[in-house]
Amino acid sequence: MYWNSIFYPFPIIIFFFLGSFIAPSSKVYAESNAYISEIITQAENEKLWEKRAWKKLLFIPDRFFSSQPKSLMSDKNFFLSQEGKINPKLELIETLKAFAVETPKKPDENYLHPQCRFPARFHWLVEELEINPNKMHFQPCPELHKFIDYLDYEGVSLVFSNYVADGPGTLFGHTFLRLHRNKDYKNESAILDDAANFAALIPAERDWLFAIKGLAGGYPGKFAVVPYYIKIQEYNNFESRDLWEYKLNLSKKEIRLLELILWEVGWTYIDYYYLDDNCAYVILAVLEAAKPELKLTENIKIYAIPSDTVRVVNRTPNLVEQITYRASVFSRYITRLSVLNGQERKILKEIVENNNVKLTQSIFSECHNQCKTRIIDTALEYIDYKEKLVGSNDAIEYGDLRKQLLISRAQTGEKSEPLVDAPTSAPPNQGHDSALISVGYGSTFSGTWFTDIRWRPALHDFESQSNGYSDALGVGFLDTILRADYTNKKVYLKNFHLLEITSLPAQIPNINFLTWHFDSGYEYGFGFGDAATQERGYLQLGYGLALYELNNSLILYTILHCDLGYSSSTAGHIGPTLSIGMIQNISKYFKFIAKSEIAKRFHAEKSIDSIKYSLNLAAYANKNLEFQMNIINNNAMPEASFNIRYYF
Amino acid sequence: MKYFKLVRNSFIGLILMTALPSNVYAAVEIGKDGNYKDVEAWGMGGCGFASLFIKEKETLPQIGASLVNEVISGYTQSSAITSGTSNCVESRSKTASVEQEVFITVNLSSLSKEAAQGTGEHLIALANVFGCPNEQFSKFSQMNYNKIYETNEPNTVLQNYLREVNSDQFMAKNCVRTIY
């Protein structure tokens, strides 16, 4: 408390929080009513509602396509006027009026005076209008007080949870805030900090409409402040995702305001739209409210992808002070594994494969203390990864082995080497932006000239730079390629991928990841002969194998698909499609990719063969600009083209 | 405009449903018995919010005890991860024992590993929670591993810690928050 008052940027108010708890007489209220009219006139003269800070306190983002103010908040209780959501002026006037109301004689037990319910607005208005505490009764707010006293944060980080090694769906990430505790009287430990998380409340019983509801704003999103260790368990250990923390440059005063904002929004909800009003976007709005000069939400054009918001924050000058990395259980396993020699790796394999306590004890007889320490440390991370172990859950498959390993480990009396803080991938802010636009110019070998225009709103494929992403994972969404054929004077849709997902994770010792590929969409030209100029819709799913060679710079993959298609000429058809490919990272700036696809498509009358192959050299000028040279041969119709790809 | 958005999003939703796992953006599941993710649901509303006034009993199997969050009239049983406030404001300021139990409950798998390894950030945080000197506490946890971590039951682990700390001359003297 003592510390608080020293740093508290609102000394007057603190004074009044601590001030009289004696209920003021009605005379004081009558006076304050006259005074509030005065204040409202003053606010009208100053056009206070036009101030950015006020709009931000009401959670009005800067929409790219609209200048109409409209708050993100869906809950009517967040507004004191009927039109508060769209009318910042009216809301300001009603707010001022509400601040002067008398506390009821016998308030409901849940009653909170507007001053206590909207302290962020209150502080801001008191400062802006220099409201005189002698003329208006400042409410004592014991609950709020308890809350503020407890928080006392001294720093804020934006936290991004990165993708799972074998989960392309997690490429979008998730963001929340880490609230750093005041360390004056505590040792430096992230574990004891807090996290502010905004998430949709989704019932455990998910029906088939789940995804649609999520997109249509069918779930309420709410804020929660929880100990950071809960989020660490959840992301690092349960989901096995690395956490990246971006420490933000906020002043003491801005952090205090953020605490009050958290209090204000904690009561309310926002309709949660997966695409735009999601965790990432709302977090940006919170940061803008705490520091109005930040311009963050205007960078989100149509939809908000969490990794994009991380880049927006990083692009803002002087906002990010420091980037730290918190390894997931999978990354910890990789790191521990990397220091084992061949013999130790063999022992580790034996231990986890046999999963047998007795055998394990005999294996260790040929191993000195340090070797034992290193192996057990690795094995423990492996088990915890496999078991998704969190909290006080028991390990199921490896329960006895884990117990035994822990006891043996404690017996060695050795202290573990600290984990080398070497992230397995580049920080996500270094990745390219999520939307791709590409323009290509080329010619078929028979002399037809064409231009290709491609647009893909999200997100990543292995032809792009993998910095900040993973070489192994790709998610493509509404990927559309239009071709303008100059020679034949026609424009047509060449490819459309509704959704394409690629997962080619590296094979890690003792972990067998699945290599798979899913694609659904429309293509022009799907076989030899007549089919070369016909279109079809298709759906394919395949499994296979990926090999990583030459320090992971070379990836070889082979995937066997089951392919279902429909075209007007053949009606439905089905068949196997074999994809074989090679991805070679030549350097940071160049990548070479060779792919081939052999397919047979059976339908009622006959079968259609299809053979496609392509060579592709990509050059990376900067984070968002790429060039590609392609030679593509689709069913004996070879062509060459040059593409410029830009991410935004 | 609103309808357009609805149609657009429904369309995309159908696509997503076919392939993407449901955790594309972290969502909170509510009330799945024993699902560890409940932790977040319990924290819903966060500290100091409406949950300040919630006085309902909740049984959380994960914690292994029925936990009561009676913020205003005080605790009847120790624990903090219930609806909101307690896991926040109260868990660090109300009573040391509540905080300790919650901390051990949520972090037990990390703690048992780090205690055996004689080092780690969760262990240091626990030393903080007990008000013990870090270095010695880590070493102490490793040396007494068998006595303290014989079980996976958080409350027992807590009691074991308190017992061992208080029977060790140095620790008993230097730990300021281990009331046994």
Side-chain angles (χ1 to χ4, degrees):
Chain A
M1 187 59 242
Y2 170 74
W3 283 110
N4 244 7
S5 15
I6 283 188
F7 290 118
Y8 213 83
F10 313 107
I12 305 178
I13 302 209
I14 261 292
F15 173 74
F16 271 88
F17 272 156
L18 298 173
S20 78
F21 280 72
I22 306 155
S25 67
S26 53
K27 182 166 163 267
V28 176
Y29 279 117
E31 276 174 20
S32 81
N33 276 340
Y35 179 62
I36 211 74
S37 311
E38 212 177 295
I39 289 290
I40 288 170
T41 314
Q42 189 190 335
E44 281 175 330
N45 292 340
E46 289 177 28
K47 293 214 163 140
L48 209 51
W49 56 86
E50 286 180 2
K51 286 218 167 174
R52 187 176 168 84
W54 175 250
K55 288 183 189 159
K56 292 299 157 194
L57 285 175
L58 298 182
F59 276 67
I60 296 170
D62 306 323
R63 296 279 191 197
F64 183 70
F65 288 116
S66 153
S67 56
Q68 285 298 323
K70 190 174 167 197
S71 170
L72 282 175
M73 288 290 166
S74 318
D75 189 352
K76 284 198 173 57
N77 294 323
F78 185 73
F79 305 102
L80 289 155
S81 77
Q82 288 294 316
E83 290 171 33
K85 193 173 161 82
I86 50 168
N87 192 334
K89 175 182 175 179
L90 201 62
E91 184 62 20
L92 186 126
I93 291 166
E94 290 300 320
T95 302
L96 283 171
K97 283 182 188 163
F99 285 161
V101 298
E102 230 171 304
T103 308
K105 285 273 182 291
K106 282 194 182 145
D108 188 296
E109 66 173 330
N110 295 345
Y111 176 82
L112 264 192
H113 191 279
Q115 283 181 20
C116 307
R117 176 72 176 70
F118 299 104
R121 296 186 197 182
F122 185 64
H123 284 306
W124 188 77
L125 288 166
V126 167
E127 277 206 335
E128 287 291 317
L129 295 164
E130 292 169 347
I131 293 176
N132 183 343
N134 299 324
K135 294 186 179 176
M136 184 166 121
H137 180 60
F138 282 19
Q139 303 290 335
C141 300
E143 298 89 355
L144 170 67
H145 212 53
K146 196 158 88 172
F147 176 77
I148 296 294
D149 275 1
Y150 161 76
L151 298 185
D152 190 25
Y153 299 127
E154 66 161 19
V156 176
S157 292
L158 178 73
V159 186
F160 177 78
S161 79
N162 219 346
Y163 55 80
V164 186
D166 59 336
T170 56
L171 272 176
F172 295 92
H174 173 65
T175 52
F176 57 95
L177 294 176
R178 170 183 164 190
L179 306 162
H180 299 248
R181 298 227 134 257
N182 199 324
K183 298 291 191 297
D184 291 337
Y185 50 89
K186 271 201 194 299
N187 292 318
E188 177 66 45
S189 170
I191 304 291
L192 296 175
D193 284 345
D194 281 343
N197 186 48
F198 175 79
L201 287 163
I202 291 165
E205 295 301 312
R206 290 179 186 181
D207 49 13
W208 62 279
L209 283 168
F210 160 76
I212 294 184
K213 275 191 191 158
L215 288 152
Y219 296 110
K222 283 200 78 132
F223 268 96
V225 177
V226 294
Y228 188 33
Y229 58 69
I230 291 179
K231 307 308 285 178
I232 291 175
Q233 291 291 337
E234 178 179 353
Y235 288 109
N236 276 172
N237 299 346
F238 188 73
E239 296 189 2
S240 195
R241 296 161 78 165
D242 290 341
L243 292 173
W244 289 88
E245 299 173 353
Y246 299 87
K247 182 97 190 273
L248 304 175
N249 178 8
L250 296 178
S251 69
K252 204 86 189 162
K253 189 174 168 177
E254 284 155 352
I255 294 169
R256 289 288 159 276
L257 185 59
L258 180 81
E259 291 166 1
L260 298 176
I261 289 162
L262 283 176
W263 168 272
E264 280 192 13
V265 298
W267 302 93
T268 61
Y269 66 89
I270 297 174
D271 287 337
Y272 195 104
Y273 292 88
Y274 278 153
L275 286 177
D276 36 23
D277 298 356
N278 56 34
C279 65
Y281 194 70
V282 172
I283 294 281
L284 294 187
V286 169
L287 293 175
E288 281 183 342
K291 190 175 179 153
E293 64 264 35
L294 290 176
K295 295 202 161 62
L296 304 173
T297 47
E298 68 179 31
N299 292 289
I300 304 298
K301 305 286 184 280
I302 307 171
Y303 46 85
I305 290 175
S307 56
D308 273 342
T309 65
V310 167
R311 284 184 282 271
V312 164
V313 166
N314 274 277
R315 270 202 295 266
T316 308
N318 308 323
L319 181 56
V320 175
E321 283 178 348
Q322 195 192 356
I323 304 178
T324 43
Y325 159 81
R326 181 170 287 284
S328 67
V329 60
F330 175 73
S331 300
R332 294 197 300 263
Y333 170 61
I334 303 284
T335 312
R336 293 269 183 226
L337 193 69
S338 65
V339 296
L340 300 188
N341 62 34
Q343 176 65 16
E344 289 164 347
R345 282 184 183 219
K346 249 192 15 226
I347 296 176
L348 173 75
K349 192 169 166 42
E350 255 180 280
I351 291 172
V352 298
E353 266 185 10
N354 293 310
N355 187 8
N356 178 320
V357 175
K358 275 210 174 70
L359 193 73
T360 303
Q361 282 165 312
S362 66
I363 290 174
F364 276 133
S365 57
E366 55 194 277
C367 193
H368 55 80
N369 244 3
Q370 261 94 12
C371 139
K372 198 166 161 181
T373 297
R374 279 197 297 269
I375 293 171
I376 296 181
D377 283 353
T378 316
L380 286 171
E381 299 298 355
Y382 174 80
I383 291 170
D384 291 4
Y385 166 75
K386 282 294 227 192
E387 297 269 357
K388 296 186 158 196
L389 206 59
V390 285
S392 52
N393 291 351
D394 287 304
I396 298 159
E397 193 188 342
Y398 296 97
D400 294 343
L401 183 64
R402 188 178 195 267
K403 275 195 191 108
Q404 180 53 45
L405 288 174
L406 286 169
I407 291 167
S408 312
R409 179 66 190 80
Q411 274 166 355
T412 63
E414 298 279 344
K415 201 167 148 180
S416 289
E417 288 298 310
L419 277 169
V420 195
D421 197 9
T424 43
S425 64
N429 56 297
Q430 291 181 14
H432 59 71
D433 287 345
S434 56
L436 168 72
I437 183 100
S438 138
V439 178
Y441 189 69
S443 156
T444 62
F445 285 21
S446 57
T448 324
W449 290 91
F450 60 82
T451 291
D452 282 343
I453 300 212
R454 178 178 181 182
W455 174 71
R456 186 183 67 200
L459 178 70
H460 178 74
D461 60 36
F462 59 60
E463 293 173 11
S464 325
Q465 301 171 77
S466 46
N467 201 23
Y469 290 90
S470 157
D471 248 335
L473 305 176
V475 173
F477 203 45
L478 305 178
D479 189 354
T480 312
I481 303 174
L482 281 174
R483 172 163 292 193
D485 179 335
Y486 299 116
T487 315
N488 300 317
K489 298 211 166 28
K490 64 174 185 179
V491 176
Y492 59 95
L493 179 63
K494 190 167 168 292
N495 286 89
F496 173 67
H497 300 268
L498 198 58
L499 179 68
E500 182 174 20
I501 304 177
T502 314
S503 187
L504 312 169
Q507 295 309 310
I508 305 291
N510 313 313
I511 297 175
N512 298 315
F513 282 136
L514 209 55
T515 296
W516 60 282
H517 174 248
F518 170 88
D519 193 4
S520 59
Y522 162 101
E523 63 180 347
Y524 176 86
F526 62 97
F528 285 101
D530 290 347
T533 53
Q534 290 165 348
E535 61 286 321
R536 68 165 189 145
Y538 65 90
L539 194 73
Q540 53 177 219
L541 176 63
Y543 294 96
L545 183 74
L547 295 173
Y548 281 63
E549 305 291 335
L550 310 176
N551 290 334
N552 292 350
S553 72
L554 174 67
I555 305 171
L556 301 168
Y557 70 86
T558 172
I559 297 173
L560 183 61
H561 297 87
C562 174
D563 177 295
L564 290 168
Y566 180 89
S567 76
S568 50
S569 60
T570 64
H573 54 256
I574 184 168
T577 300
L578 179 68
S579 304
I580 303 170
M582 148 186 159
I583 304 162
Q584 170 73 59
N585 285 296
I586 300 167
S587 75
K588 210 175 123 184
Y589 302 103
F590 294 99
K591 198 187 271 192
F592 176 72
I593 297 164
K595 286 187 291 197
S596 69
E597 197 181 89
I598 304 156
K600 216 163 174 68
R601 319 197 193 283
F602 300 98
H603 62 99
E605 285 132 44
K606 58 178 195 317
S607 69
I608 299 172
D609 295 344
S610 167
I611 298 179
K612 300 176 180 181
Y613 56 85
S614 66
L615 300 174
N616 155 325
L617 179 66
Y620 307 129
N622 66 30
K623 192 171 92 168
N624 285 326
L625 184 63
E626 307 178 346
F627 304 102
Q628 273 193 358
M629 312 270 287
N630 300 319
I631 291 181
I632 299 171
N633 187 334
N634 278 358
N635 302 313
M637 290 165 52
E639 61 183 50
S641 64
F642 174 76
N643 289 274
I644 299 175
R645 290 158 57 108
Y646 181 71
Y647 290 94
F648 61 96
Chain B
M1 188 61 213
K2 200 170 174 180
Y3 289 110
F4 169 75
K5 194 170 176 176
L6 194 77
V7 171
R8 179 198 69 182
N9 287 346
S10 307
F11 172 67
I12 297 171
L14 275 171
I15 302 161
L16 271 183
M17 250 168 33
T18 54
L20 286 187
S22 54
N23 62 352
V24 174
Y25 297 122
V28 180
E29 298 189 348
I30 307 171
K32 232 188 211 168
D33 278 3
N35 183 337
Y36 131 91
K37 281 199 154 194
D38 279 359
V39 165
E40 172 124 12
W42 311 329
M44 238 39 228
C47 37
F49 303 143
S51 49
L52 259 177
F53 311 105
I54 292 175
K55 295 185 186 178
E56 60 200 7
K57 276 197 182 196
E58 285 191 62
T59 308
L60 304 169
Q62 193 64 26
I63 308 285
S66 75
L67 308 171
V68 183
N69 170 23
E70 292 184 305
V71 178
I72 294 165
S73 52
Y75 282 94
T76 52
Q77 244 185 321
S78 68
S79 172
I81 310 185
T82 53
S83 46
T85 322
S86 51
N87 65 3
C88 201
V89 179
E90 308 300 329
S91 82
R92 293 203 192 88
S93 62
K94 189 117 188 159
T95 56
S97 67
V98 171
E99 181 189 358
Q100 289 161 3
E101 190 186 343
V102 173
F103 186 85
I104 290 174
T105 302
V106 177
N107 296 298
L108 192 54
S109 60
S110 304
L111 286 169
S112 58
K113 187 162 61 192
E114 291 179 6
Q117 294 173 334
T119 176
E121 58 176 355
H122 292 82
L123 206 55
I124 289 173
L126 183 63
N128 260 322
V129 170
F130 281 140
C132 300
N134 297 342
E135 274 301 311
Q136 291 85 341
F137 182 81
S138 300
K139 191 75 200 149
F140 174 86
S141 299
Q142 190 182 37
M143 279 173 58
N144 296 287
Y145 182 85
N146 292 358
K147 291 183 208 154
I148 297 169
Y149 290 94
E150 36 147 31
T151 149
N152 222 11
E153 213 285 297
N155 201 359
T156 315
V157 172
L158 171 62
Q159 297 311 320
N160 292 345
Y161 253 121
L162 296 175
R163 188 187 64 238
E164 293 305 318
V165 162
N166 284 302
S167 61
D168 180 286
Q169 219 178 352
F170 175 84
M171 282 290 163
K173 206 169 78 199
N174 286 286
C175 293
V176 292
R177 296 181 74 210
T178 46
I179 300 112
Y180 186 44

